[in-house]
């Protein structure tokens, strides 16, 4: 039997590895205040609530023993599984676990891994109450509202299970009507006629005669069977989807399953139909008229240029040899225009990959215009050149082109990449100049060339490292595409000079580390691309405070807290990349200017061992260079390091020093000679050899609090453009 005191001690052990000592002392005080004799009466362990993960996220589940037996159950979302006592009670306390050695005969270092499952709540019942609590539960013991909910959930579960098991016996029939076209066109869709995912679905047995399905439709919509005429949809070669032909009487006599197989080449479980219903003078459904080969079913949309509105107004049967001029009066009636209103007609042909919408000659026959069943005609009042009302899209083709290419773009300031500032409705076909002109107008800028844009990385959800060059892309769509994904985010920045002028220059962000002050100042150096490192240093000297006017500077390349390169003064700056690597400028110490043949200039890095990564070395903080003398001991070197970094004695006493080669530390004693470890040449790779300072990284990441010591993670940062 596991008592409360035992479990409390286990939890305290786990918490001590995750929380600070203050919290632990608080927990100890709480334990002391609780009466042990009361805790001791709670001896039956009934539940363990577990969090698996870290401080930034994770997953919750529970181990429960619902009866007096030894059987435990794991409740993990909708899954419930049996678990043994060891799993429930002994493996939920975090810490580390050591895997058994595969080859016991070899002296292998055991592999340890962190366990991320931690119990955060323990559930007990009083020993004297266990018979009353751990008893069988009857239906009457469950609250009525819970019984109703559980019954409903079970019924839904059984219904879904039955539907899945019987899916092969059914066909889904999707029925589109005039009402669906009126509801969707101009709101959800503009091209084609209907979104079949938003129409009424019927789940019908395949063996059911289609005529029986029509009876179900009659009950659903109140449309008599004899007034129903169903059309099959067909996907055309231009990727449009239109009603193609009405069902023949012999087809309606077939079963639903047979009809689906005839009409559906894709062999999926759906049958898509259009329900044609004709109304009499009293607006009641009537029997559809016979359709001859000369009859063509056309669908009509009305466009209003002033409101930029497109809507479905109805459908008509026309004769193949008839002309559009024959139906103008009827179309005016459908639109609510005067009978003699002049209108222009356009055929909507396709919309992918490009919009095709052509003007219809009203003097030609429908057959001559190659119109057929299911075609769409959009019409409008003709635009008046120089009229009082200014419209953006004067006709149907220009409006459909706009709809097809319109794109709402969310703009963010590059300095605040997580905060949306404004949205603009643009066209994917807008040129580079169009886009920056709209952004400049939104920002109130007179010169659009001072706007620089950066594309969005859809995978990292961050700005791309390189901005868009001046007129470097043709259209807005090119700015938004990232591999096979399209974003709707762009980042902007306002420059102090026009972008074309800026692109002739090279801008470097250089972090200047002051020799005596605990701060880092970031400067933007803007020079001609033909400039050298020497030019950068000359320019930087005019912007920084030096310890001595004659002090020399050098430029370093720093990456992941290691120095990878010391730039030679003659190197060109054009190909230097400061997006991923930090460019650091610093004063060259006097001790480095007069090196002898026995002296060595070595790299010194801060490091700690990561307990979660099998004690691998993890670097942090500001790396630096240090001169070591021939025969100088570790104690002497560390004394100079302490003075250089100005670390208090109490803290520095906890530091260790190691010679590290190929990421393997060799810890040095005070009397060990340091220079003997390093090769008799300059170290040219940050990964080869360096002097490592092992200590705890106590500074919060990206924290720039004032008065930090130089040896901590980062110095305070100031940014000057």
């Amino acid at each position: 039997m596991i008592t409360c005191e035992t479990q409390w001690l286990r939890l305290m052990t786990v918490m001590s590895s995750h929380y600070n000592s203050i919290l632990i002392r608080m927990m100890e005080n709480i334990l002391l205040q609780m009466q042990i004799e009361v805790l001791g009466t709670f001896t039956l362990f009934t539940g363990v609530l577990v969090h698996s993960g870290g401080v930034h996220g994770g997953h919750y589940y529970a181990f429960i023993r619902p009866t007096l037996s030894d059987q435990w159950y794991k409740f993990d979302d909708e899954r419930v599984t049996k678990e043994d006592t060891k799993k429930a009670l002994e493996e939920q306390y975090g810490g580390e676990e050591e895997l058994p050695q595969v080859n016991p005969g070899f002296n292998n270092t055991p592999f340890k891994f962190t366990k991320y499952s931690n119990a955060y709540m323990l559930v007990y019942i009083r020993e004297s109450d266990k018979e009353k609590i751990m008893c069988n539960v009857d239906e009457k013991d469950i609250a009525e509202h819970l019984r109703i909910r559980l019954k409903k959930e079970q019924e839904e579960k059984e219904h879904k299970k039955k539907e899945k098991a019987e899916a092969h016996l059914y066909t889904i029939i999707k029925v589109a009507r005039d009402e669906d076209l009126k509801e969707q066109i101009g709101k959800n869709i503009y091209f084609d006629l209907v979104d079949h995912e938003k129409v009424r679905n019927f789940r019908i047995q395949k063996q059911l005669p289609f005529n029986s399905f029509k009876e179900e439709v009659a009950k659903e919509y109140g449309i008599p069977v004899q007034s129903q005429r169903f059309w099959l949809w067909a996907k055309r070669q231009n990727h449009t989807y239109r009603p193609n032909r009405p069902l023949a009487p012999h087809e309606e006599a077939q079963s639903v399953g047979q009809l689906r197989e005839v009409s559906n080449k894709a062999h999926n479980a759906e049958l898509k139909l259009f329900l044609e219903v004709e109304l009499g003078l009293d607006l009641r459904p009537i029997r559809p008229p016979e359709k001859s080969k000369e009859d063509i079913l056309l669908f009509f949309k009305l466009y209003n240029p002033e409101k930029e509105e497109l809507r479905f107004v109805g459908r008509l049967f026309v004769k193949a040899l008839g002309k559009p001029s024959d139906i103008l009066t009827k179309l005016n009636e459908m639109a609510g225009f005067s009978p003699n209103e002049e209108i222009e007609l356009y055929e909507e042909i396709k919309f992918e990959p490009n919009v095709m919408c052509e003007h219809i000659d009203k003097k030609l026959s429908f057959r001559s215009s190659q119109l057929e069943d299911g075609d769409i005609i959009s019409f409008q009042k003709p635009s008046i050149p120089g009229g009082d009302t200014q419209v953006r899209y004067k006709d149907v083709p220009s409006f459909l082109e706009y709809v097809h290419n319109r794109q709402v773009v969310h703009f963010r300031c590059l300095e605040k990449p997580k905060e949306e500032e404004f949205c603009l409705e643009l066209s994917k076909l807008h040129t580079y100049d169009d886009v920056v002109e709209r952004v400049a107008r939104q920002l109130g800028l007179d010169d659009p060339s001072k706007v620089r844009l950066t594309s969005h990385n859809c995978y990292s959800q961050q700005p791309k490292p390189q901005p868009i060059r001046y007129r470097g892309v043709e259209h807005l769509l090119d700015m938004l595409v990232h591999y096979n994904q399209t974003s709707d985010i762009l980042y902007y920045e306002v420059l102090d000079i026009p972008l074309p002028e800026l692109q002739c220059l090279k801008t470097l962000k250089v972090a200047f580390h002051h020799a005596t002050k605990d701060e880092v100042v970031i400067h933007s150096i803007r020079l001609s691309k033909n400039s050298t490192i020497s030019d950068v240093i000359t320019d930087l000297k005019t912007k920084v405070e030096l310890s001595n006017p004659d002090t020399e500077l050098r430029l370093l390349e720093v990456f992941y807290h290691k120095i990878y390169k010391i730039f030679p003064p003659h190197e060109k700056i054009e190909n230097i990349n400061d997006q991923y690597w930090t460019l650091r400028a610093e004063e060259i110490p006097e001790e480095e200017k007069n090196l002898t043949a026995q002296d060595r200039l070595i790299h010194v890095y801060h490091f700690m061992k990561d307990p979660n990564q099998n004690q691998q070395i993890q670097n942090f903080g500001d790396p630096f260079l240090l001169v070591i003398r021939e025969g100088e001991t570790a104690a002497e070197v560390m004394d100079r390091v302490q003075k250089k970094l100005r670390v208090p004695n109490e803290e520095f006493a906890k530091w260790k020093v190691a010679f590290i080669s190929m990421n393997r530390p060799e810890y040095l004693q005070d009397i060990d000679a340091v220079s003997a470890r390093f090769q008799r040449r300059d170290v040219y790779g940050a990964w080869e050899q360096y002097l490592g300072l092992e200590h705890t990284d106590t500074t919060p990441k990206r924290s720039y609090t004032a008065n930090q010591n130089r040896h901590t993670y980062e110095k305070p940062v100031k940014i000057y453009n």
Side-chain angles (χ1 to χ4, degrees):
M1 180 164 49
I2 301 175
T3 64
C4 289
E5 295 92 315
T6 305
Q7 297 301 334
W8 269 111
L9 288 173
R10 286 189 176 184
L11 279 177
M12 292 295 294
T13 303
V14 176
M15 293 174 70
S16 66
S17 66
H18 294 282
Y19 301 95
N20 56 43
S21 58
I22 297 176
L23 180 59
I24 298 302
R25 287 196 293 271
M26 290 173 60
M27 296 295 295
E28 290 172 345
N29 292 335
I30 293 173
L31 280 175
L32 291 174
Q33 294 171 12
M34 299 179 72
Q35 297 182 15
I36 299 302
E37 59 270 17
V38 175
L39 285 173
T41 62
F42 291 80
T43 55
L44 186 61
F45 199 86
T46 59
V48 183
L49 279 67
V50 180
H51 175 259
S52 179
V55 295
H56 299 294
H59 180 62
Y60 292 90
Y61 53 89
F63 293 91
I64 299 176
R65 186 169 62 178
T67 67
L68 294 175
S69 69
D70 292 333
Q71 182 61 61
W72 287 82
Y73 295 87
K74 180 181 179 181
F75 289 76
D76 188 353
D77 291 339
E78 72 278 2
R79 298 186 62 216
V80 180
T81 55
K82 290 184 177 181
E83 300 290 351
D84 56 31
T85 303
K86 182 177 184 296
K87 179 79 172 179
L89 300 185
E90 299 181 17
E91 297 184 11
Q92 309 304 321
Y93 294 96
E96 290 185 342
E97 185 167 331
E98 186 175 301
L99 291 179
Q101 293 188 2
V102 180
N103 300 311
F106 294 90
N107 187 22
N108 294 331
T109 303
F111 181 79
K112 296 181 180 180
F113 65 94
T114 302
K115 295 166 63 179
Y116 292 99
S117 296
N118 293 279
Y120 69 93
M121 185 181 295
L122 311 177
V123 183
Y124 293 83
I125 62 172
R126 196 185 302 271
E127 178 72 21
S128 59
D129 293 336
K130 68 179 182 180
E131 298 294 340
K132 292 184 290 183
I133 296 175
M134 308 299 287
C135 60
N136 293 328
V137 178
D138 297 326
E139 186 173 341
K140 63 182 180 180
D141 297 321
I142 303 174
E144 183 179 0
H145 71 282
L146 289 178
R147 292 202 304 270
I148 295 173
R149 178 176 174 179
L150 292 172
K151 182 179 179 181
K152 183 179 179 181
E153 289 179 355
Q154 186 62 29
E155 289 174 350
E156 290 176 352
K157 184 178 179 180
E158 293 296 329
H159 179 69
K160 290 180 179 179
K161 183 178 179 181
K162 183 179 179 182
E163 277 191 348
K164 186 175 181 180
E166 298 177 351
H168 66 287
L169 303 175
Y170 288 82
T171 290
I172 302 298
I173 301 181
K174 296 185 174 183
V175 178
R177 303 186 299 148
D178 289 337
E179 289 79 0
D180 296 306
L181 276 59
K182 291 178 183 177
E183 176 65 27
Q184 295 188 25
I185 293 174
K187 298 177 183 177
N188 301 324
I189 63 171
Y190 290 88
F191 304 100
D192 266 349
L193 293 172
V194 73
D195 180 354
H196 287 90
E197 298 302 317
K198 297 178 180 179
V199 302
R200 175 72 166 85
N201 292 351
F202 295 85
R203 187 170 181 265
I204 305 298
Q205 286 188 343
K206 293 180 180 179
Q207 297 178 349
L208 188 74
F210 187 80
N211 283 320
S212 298
F213 163 70
K214 294 178 71 174
E215 294 176 0
E216 186 168 336
V217 172
K219 295 178 183 177
E220 176 74 17
Y221 297 124
I223 302 170
V225 171
Q226 64 272 16
S227 300
Q228 302 174 21
R229 179 156 61 190
F230 286 93
W231 290 65
L232 291 172
W233 293 78
K235 188 173 184 179
R236 298 180 176 180
Q237 290 184 346
N238 61 9
H239 303 293
T240 58
Y241 212 58
R242 309 285 174 80
N244 183 46
R245 64 175 180 84
L247 291 178
H250 73 276
E251 290 177 320
E252 293 191 354
Q254 295 177 340
S255 69
V256 170
Q258 290 173 321
L259 185 59
R260 182 193 64 81
E261 292 174 1
V262 170
S263 64
N264 194 339
K265 296 181 180 179
H267 299 295
N268 57 34
E270 293 182 353
L271 175 61
K272 297 175 181 177
L273 300 172
F274 173 72
L275 174 57
E276 175 200 346
V277 179
E278 301 297 336
L279 302 179
L281 295 176
D282 58 357
L283 300 181
R284 292 185 179 182
I286 61 174
R287 182 184 294 274
E290 291 294 326
K291 181 184 181 303
S292 68
K293 292 183 179 180
E294 293 299 311
D295 293 325
I296 301 174
L297 177 62
L298 298 178
F299 294 82
F300 294 89
K301 301 176 183 178
L302 174 65
Y303 173 57
N304 185 330
E306 296 178 4
K307 295 183 178 180
E308 295 181 6
E309 177 185 82
L310 186 70
R311 61 187 178 93
F312 175 72
V313 291
R315 51 182 171 75
L316 290 174
F317 280 101
V318 299
K319 296 298 181 180
L321 296 178
K323 299 178 181 179
S325 57
D326 301 336
I327 62 170
L328 294 182
T329 301
K330 183 61 179 177
L331 294 181
N332 280 327
E333 179 185 341
M334 293 165 63
F337 298 159
S338 61
N340 298 321
E341 183 72 54
E342 184 70 23
I343 55 176
E344 298 293 332
L345 280 63
Y346 301 86
E347 182 192 0
E348 179 188 316
I349 301 173
K350 67 170 187 174
F351 55 92
E352 290 294 350
N354 300 308
V355 173
M356 183 179 290
C357 183
E358 296 182 349
H359 186 268
I360 296 176
D361 189 338
K362 289 176 282 189
K363 297 178 182 180
L364 296 178
S365 68
F366 292 106
R367 177 172 292 172
S368 299
S369 297
Q370 299 182 342
L371 293 170
E372 59 185 23
D373 283 324
D375 279 344
I376 301 171
I377 294 178
S378 295
F379 65 98
Q380 66 173 94
K381 293 180 181 181
S383 58
I384 303 175
D388 295 335
T389 305
Q390 296 296 321
V391 295
R392 293 197 301 170
Y393 310 104
K394 63 179 182 178
D395 53 30
V396 174
S398 61
F399 176 73
L400 292 179
E401 191 74 40
Y402 152 70
V403 171
H404 183 259
N405 293 298
R406 68 179 170 183
Q407 175 72 57
V408 175
V409 181
H410 303 264
F411 286 89
R412 303 176 180 179
C413 178
L414 188 63
E415 295 180 353
K416 301 176 181 178
K418 295 296 183 182
E419 301 177 14
E420 180 182 324
E421 294 216 355
F422 58 89
C423 297
L424 292 177
E425 184 183 280
L426 305 171
S427 169
K428 296 174 185 176
L429 300 181
H430 273 166
T431 64
Y432 174 90
D433 289 345
D434 294 332
V435 176
V436 295
E437 191 277 329
R438 287 289 305 277
V439 174
R441 192 192 315 165
Q442 175 72 26
L443 298 174
L445 297 177
D446 296 329
D447 187 357
S449 68
K450 290 186 178 180
V451 174
R452 182 163 65 176
L453 301 175
T454 301
S455 296
H456 179 70
N457 186 319
C458 298
Y459 299 102
S460 67
Q461 296 298 310
Q462 294 288 335
K464 288 186 178 180
Q466 298 296 335
I468 299 170
R469 294 182 61 81
Y470 179 72
R471 294 178 178 171
V473 296
E474 289 191 25
H475 300 110
L476 171 65
L477 183 60
D478 301 319
M479 302 180 189
L480 301 177
V481 171
H482 179 69
Y483 293 105
N484 59 340
Q485 295 192 35
T486 301
S487 169
D488 62 354
I489 298 172
L490 284 177
Y491 304 88
Y492 76 89
E493 54 186 320
V494 179
L495 307 174
D496 57 342
I497 61 175
L499 182 56
E501 182 181 337
L502 178 65
Q503 286 181 177
C504 295
L505 305 175
K506 176 74 174 181
T507 301
L508 297 176
K509 289 191 179 297
V510 179
F512 177 68
H513 288 232
H514 198 278
T516 57
K517 294 183 179 180
D518 292 337
E519 68 177 19
V520 174
V521 181
I522 298 179
H523 293 273
S524 289
I525 307 297
R526 186 182 294 164
L527 297 170
S528 168
K529 292 182 178 179
N530 294 324
S531 302
T532 63
I533 295 296
S534 178
D535 298 323
V536 173
I537 292 175
T538 300
D539 186 82
L540 185 64
K541 282 185 175 182
T542 65
K543 300 179 179 181
V544 301
E545 179 186 350
L546 301 175
S547 60
N548 188 297
D550 298 326
T551 298
E552 297 180 23
L553 299 181
R554 65 183 167 204
L555 196 65
L556 311 174
E557 182 182 84
V558 178
F559 185 64
Y560 273 101
H561 315 289
K562 292 183 177 182
I563 299 171
Y564 279 79
K565 184 176 183 179
I566 303 175
F567 288 97
H570 61 272
E571 182 170 338
K572 298 283 188 181
I573 68 172
E574 182 175 4
N575 297 322
I576 294 178
N577 187 342
D578 62 349
Q579 297 293 325
Y580 301 105
W581 295 270
T582 300
L583 299 181
R584 187 174 100 187
E586 63 183 18
E587 297 184 7
I588 301 177
E590 287 296 326
E591 64 176 8
E592 295 183 22
K593 296 179 180 179
N594 300 305
L595 297 179
T596 66
Q598 286 73 36
D599 295 336
R600 285 286 171 267
L601 184 63
I602 66 170
H603 294 217
V604 183
Y605 305 150
H606 304 269
F607 79 95
M608 59 187 296
K609 291 184 177 179
D610 190 345
N612 297 326
Q613 299 293 331
N614 204 25
Q615 299 296 312
Q616 291 184 8
I617 285 179
Q618 187 176 58
N619 294 103
F620 63 92
D622 290 327
F624 59 94
L625 300 173
L626 185 71
V627 175
I628 53 173
R629 310 295 184 188
E630 181 73 19
E632 196 172 17
T633 65
E636 293 170 334
V637 171
M638 288 298 284
D639 183 60
R640 288 199 291 121
V641 167
Q642 182 181 7
K643 292 178 181 177
K644 179 180 179 69
L645 301 181
R646 302 199 298 275
V647 185
N649 290 334
E650 182 180 355
E651 183 174 350
F652 195 73
K654 303 174 185 177
W655 289 27
K656 296 179 181 178
V657 61
F659 167 74
I660 299 180
S661 178
M662 306 304 289
N663 222 33
R664 296 178 181 176
E666 176 191 344
Y667 290 94
L668 303 179
Q669 302 300 318
D670 288 348
I671 60 173
D672 290 338
V674 177
S675 61
R677 264 62 175 188
F678 289 88
Q679 299 174 6
R680 290 287 179 179
R681 60 184 175 85
D682 291 334
V683 177
Y684 54 82
W687 57 88
E688 284 192 336
Q689 299 175 346
Y690 63 89
L691 194 68
L693 306 175
E694 184 181 17
H695 60 98
T696 304
D697 178 16
T698 57
T699 307
K701 301 297 183 281
R702 301 188 183 277
S703 175
Y704 303 133
T705 307
N707 300 321
Q708 289 179 317
N709 290 326
R710 298 172 62 87
H711 62 273
T712 50
Y713 176 78
E714 286 174 328
K715 301 179 185 180
V717 172
K718 295 181 180 179
I719 301 176
Y720 297 102
N721 291 320

